Amino acid sequence: GGWLLILGWLLHYLPFFTMGRILYYHHYFPAMLFSSMITGLTWDSLLRSGDLLLSPPMARTVHLGGLAALSFASLYSFYLFHPLSYGMTGPLAHDAGSPMAGLKWMESWEF
């Protein structure tokens, strides 16, 4: 099942490398959907393999803790970047007073 998701991600992501025009956020939404499904599948597979090294009760605790950590990280990431999805107001990210200033992790990001 995972290989089909990877194929779907490749088919939606790779064509944008050949484009010579401006690419907007919405161009990556189909690839992001496949990426999210691959992330869930990978996390679940890794966390379920904990029973090979740990006792069953401990493996279940690690599995549930890992799922809780992934859920928290997803929600926190949404909280941080939601102004980009819903329309930012105020100063741009390169201004010191902007709430988005700390989120511009790469110089190539423009927001």
Side-chain angles (χ1 to χ4, degrees):
W3 293 111
L4 190 59
L5 294 176
I6 291 172
L7 178 65
W9 178 81
L10 285 171
L11 289 174
H12 284 91
Y13 191 75
L14 288 180
F16 293 113
F17 283 110
T18 61
M19 290 186 180
R21 62 186 178 102
I22 295 175
L23 297 175
Y24 296 102
Y25 192 56
H26 68 273
H27 289 122
Y28 298 103
F29 280 161
M32 185 183 69
L33 179 64
F34 282 99
S35 179
S36 297
M37 289 188 285
I38 292 168
T39 300
L41 187 65
T42 303
W43 268 79
D44 189 55
S45 297
L46 289 174
L47 292 172
R48 286 186 189 271
S49 67
D51 63 347
L52 299 174
L53 302 172
L54 305 169
S55 65
M58 181 60 82
R60 177 152 175 79
T61 303
V62 169
H63 185 240
L64 292 176
L67 292 177
L70 179 62
S71 298
F72 174 77
S74 297
L75 291 172
Y76 186 65
S77 176
F78 174 78
Y79 170 75
L80 287 177
F81 289 99
H82 79 274
L84 292 176
S85 296
Y86 293 117
M88 223 172 94
T89 59
L92 296 176
H94 64 274
D95 295 335
S98 172
M100 302 300 289
L103 298 178
K104 189 175 177 183
W105 299 337
M106 297 181 172
E107 284 296 319
S108 63
W109 289 4
E110 294 291 331
F111 59 86

